[in-house]
Amino acid sequence: MAKRTIVTLPGDGIGNIVLNQTLRVLDAAGFEGDYIHGDIGWEFWCKEGNPLPQRTLDLIRKHKTALFGAITSKPNEEARAELNPDLQGKGYVYSSPIVGLRQKFNLDICVRPCKSYKGNPLNFIRKGKGNTFEEPVIDVVIFRQNTECLYSGVEWTNPPELVYKALMSHPKFVENFGGVPVEEISVSTRIFTKRATERILIAAFDYAEKYGYSSVTVCEKPNVIRETSGLMWRLAKEIQKSSYPGIKLLNTNIDAQMMWLTKNPEDYGVIVAGNMFGDIASDAFAGLIGGLGFACSAQFSADGIAVFEPTHGSAPKYADYEIPIVNPIAMIESACMMLDYLDEKSISVKIRRAVAEIILEGKTRTYDMMKMTGSQEVVKNGAASTIQMTDAIISKIR
Ligand code: NAI
Ligand code: MG
């Protein structure tokens, strides 16, 4: 097997911890990675005024596949104050390197699987008949359009004249907001393009086909947000009809989906949504399978760049513990997504099987799995440390 070159981006806080442990798991499972470190995060903001240096972008552009831990973001004032004194007052403005990565590489497809592991005490349970409890098996994969919608940054408070004029050309705007002073108006635009919407839909259908899911559910709100959600729903019907007739196409509204979240989560397979609703739906489903310690993700561009990362952030309050306590599984799962993408399925299967065995066995649990409040004491009180959890998983790799 040829060695694969992977850019590792540990970032800040627990990003370093979980990424390092994940590399141990990859090694133990026989993955031959050539890891090249990329600088990213708070340290480089403070030192260089740029949390996502050009050299890191060049590395990712060259090697195409990256494993990313997490970064720390802080509000503008704090960011300015922590900037190296030599750089202060020179017009540096902090912006999140995650958003930066998405924009620079147009990582428009975000995939967030939410699958429950048997035996995870954090799994969602609901009341059944009589005094019984049901623990539905959840296997949902959310496809979130990652670059458009309400997160594109096209927004104004007190919109400039041209924009205001354009808004006033819409009868609904005149009717509802025509009497409001322009300086009291804030607008965030929800832009969907046909090309990006088609890409996320096709990615969702392809995945359903490849991994045997029987349905794709569009989770938007086309009955009200007619132009953008409407576009996604129209395109979904066309694409299903022309190319994926064997896969059922379902339609849920985001609000109703959240209401049904706990009623019948086992009925959903692949879910596809725009940026905002995809963000909401993926966090919601992740909550049913154990939360941030289990939520993994991947982001892809049209030209072959792929970044794999846990959904959680840098959890600064746990970053400097002498014995790290955070759950490494979200990062390990993200690495498994990378292995699938690299066609190293035999290795990802081994790792996932090991994780499943450890969770089912129930002897090794990080503090989150024991429903403890995170502190330096949790290991003394019976929780596994990050390293103990990793060791346990490694011990089950065969
Ligand atoms: P966070 O995800 O870092 O932590 C929230 C809480 O979730 C933690 O206090 C901890 O209790 C729990 N948690 C997170 N990861 C865990 C794990 N692996 N195992 C067990 N428990 C875990 O989010 P927070 O506190 O809102 O943000 C901290 C920093 O991270 C901020 O600077 C924020 O901007 C950044 N952030 C970065 C993200 C990324 O790099 N993708 C995503 C979210 C936040
Ligand atoms: Mg989120």
Side-chain angles (χ1 to χ4, degrees):
M1 179 174 72
K3 270 201 167 185
R4 310 286 199 144
T5 305
I6 311 292
V7 180
T8 49
L9 307 166
D12 300 306
I14 65 162
N16 286 280
I17 298 165
V18 292
L19 182 51
N20 278 327
Q21 295 307 310
T22 296
L23 297 185
R24 291 180 56 218
V25 174
L26 288 172
D27 272 356
F31 177 67
E32 298 200 15
D34 204 354
Y35 301 111
I36 302 188
H37 170 90
D39 294 335
I40 191 168
W42 200 247
E43 180 187 344
F44 304 97
W45 160 251
C46 298
K47 280 207 265 196
E48 303 174 20
N50 184 3
L52 182 56
Q54 184 59 43
R55 59 184 180 280
T56 302
L57 295 172
D58 295 342
L59 273 181
I60 300 171
R61 174 69 66 202
K62 181 167 173 206
H63 300 294
K64 294 194 177 312
T65 306
L67 255 185
F68 176 37
I71 52 87
T72 296
S73 279
K74 297 185 190 179
N76 279 339
E77 300 252 299
E78 268 177 76
R80 258 198 306 275
E82 290 187 37
L83 194 56
N84 182 320
D86 297 347
L87 301 176
Q88 291 199 9
K90 297 202 170 141
Y92 289 98
V93 180
Y94 179 82
S95 69
S96 158
I98 302 196
V99 178
L101 278 178
R102 277 180 206 156
Q103 288 167 345
K104 295 273 189 236
F105 296 116
N106 198 15
L107 297 166
D108 64 331
I109 291 176
C110 176
V111 186
R112 294 184 166 183
C114 298
K115 301 184 194 186
S116 51
Y117 275 108
K118 210 169 166 198
N120 184 351
L122 301 178
N123 282 346
F124 165 68
I125 53 169
R126 74 182 162 224
K127 243 184 140 179
K129 285 192 182 119
N131 284 328
T132 62
F133 285 93
E134 299 167 348
E135 186 173 322
V137 175
I138 295 163
D139 182 356
V140 169
V141 184
I142 286 133
F143 278 72
R144 165 187 175 195
Q145 205 297 325
N146 217 19
T147 48
E148 303 192 333
C149 190
L150 282 170
Y151 298 172
S152 59
V154 184
E155 47 186 5
W156 303 268
T157 287
N158 189 7
E161 198 183 330
L162 257 178
V163 176
Y164 186 69
K165 264 198 184 150
L167 292 168
M168 285 295 274
S169 73
H170 197 297
K172 287 257 167 66
F173 187 88
V174 176
E175 192 185 324
N176 294 315
F177 309 106
V180 182
V182 60
E183 61 277 10
E184 290 181 17
I185 291 175
S186 295
V187 184
S188 301
T189 58
R190 190 179 206 264
I191 301 172
F192 280 37
T193 63
K194 181 167 186 255
R195 187 172 177 278
T197 308
E198 274 172 353
R199 263 181 55 74
I200 193 75
L201 287 165
I202 290 169
F205 276 109
D206 272 349
Y207 189 96
E209 195 167 68
K210 184 168 174 196
Y211 292 101
Y213 290 87
S214 63
S215 68
V216 167
T217 302
V218 174
C219 179
E220 279 283 324
K221 184 104 182 168
N223 57 332
V224 176
I225 316 175
R226 288 165 189 274
E227 300 308 322
T228 47
S229 294
L231 174 73
M232 184 173 270
W233 179 236
R234 275 196 307 280
L235 291 173
K237 283 189 287 192
E238 283 171 28
I239 289 167
Q240 189 262 354
K241 197 168 165 202
S242 65
S243 310
Y244 305 91
I247 296 170
K248 250 188 307 182
L249 173 64
L250 308 171
N251 176 23
T252 58
N253 286 341
I254 178 69
D255 48 344
Q257 181 78 70
M258 293 303 98
M259 184 180 65
W260 292 328
L261 183 72
T262 51
K263 191 175 156 239
N264 62 342
E266 65 271 48
D267 292 350
Y268 298 94
V270 172
I271 293 184
V272 57
N275 208 340
M276 168 105 249
F277 296 160
D279 199 4
I280 294 171
S282 59
D283 272 13
F285 276 97
L288 304 181
I289 56 123
L292 289 176
F294 293 86
C296 56
S297 79
Q299 308 182 65
F300 303 101
S301 76
D303 58 355
I305 309 275
V307 178
F308 301 85
E309 56 164 322
T311 305
H312 64 72
S314 60
K317 60 183 176 184
Y318 306 139
D320 300 321
Y321 280 18
E322 205 177 317
I323 300 175
I325 63 164
V326 293
N327 190 343
I329 291 176
M331 181 85 237
I332 293 169
E333 281 282 345
S334 305
C336 286
M337 294 182 79
M338 177 187 82
L339 294 170
D340 292 345
Y341 168 76
L342 294 174
D343 265 331
E344 300 285 5
K345 193 84 190 149
S346 63
I347 304 178
S348 65
V349 165
K350 275 199 257 182
I351 298 175
R352 288 199 181 101
R353 203 190 293 138
V355 172
E357 270 183 50
I358 283 299
I359 294 175
L360 186 61
E361 213 174 71
K363 285 193 286 199
T364 312
R365 290 176 169 169
T366 44
Y367 82 96
D368 54 320
M369 297 173 75
M370 299 182 78
K371 303 178 190 180
M372 290 175 169
T373 304
S375 79
Q376 308 249 19
E377 308 303 308
V378 296
V379 176
K380 254 185 262 160
N381 294 331
S385 70
T386 311
I387 292 165
Q388 287 168 333
M389 176 55 101
T390 310
D391 288 346
I393 291 169
I394 288 173
S395 78
K396 295 286 186 194
I397 292 176
R398 286 185 290 273

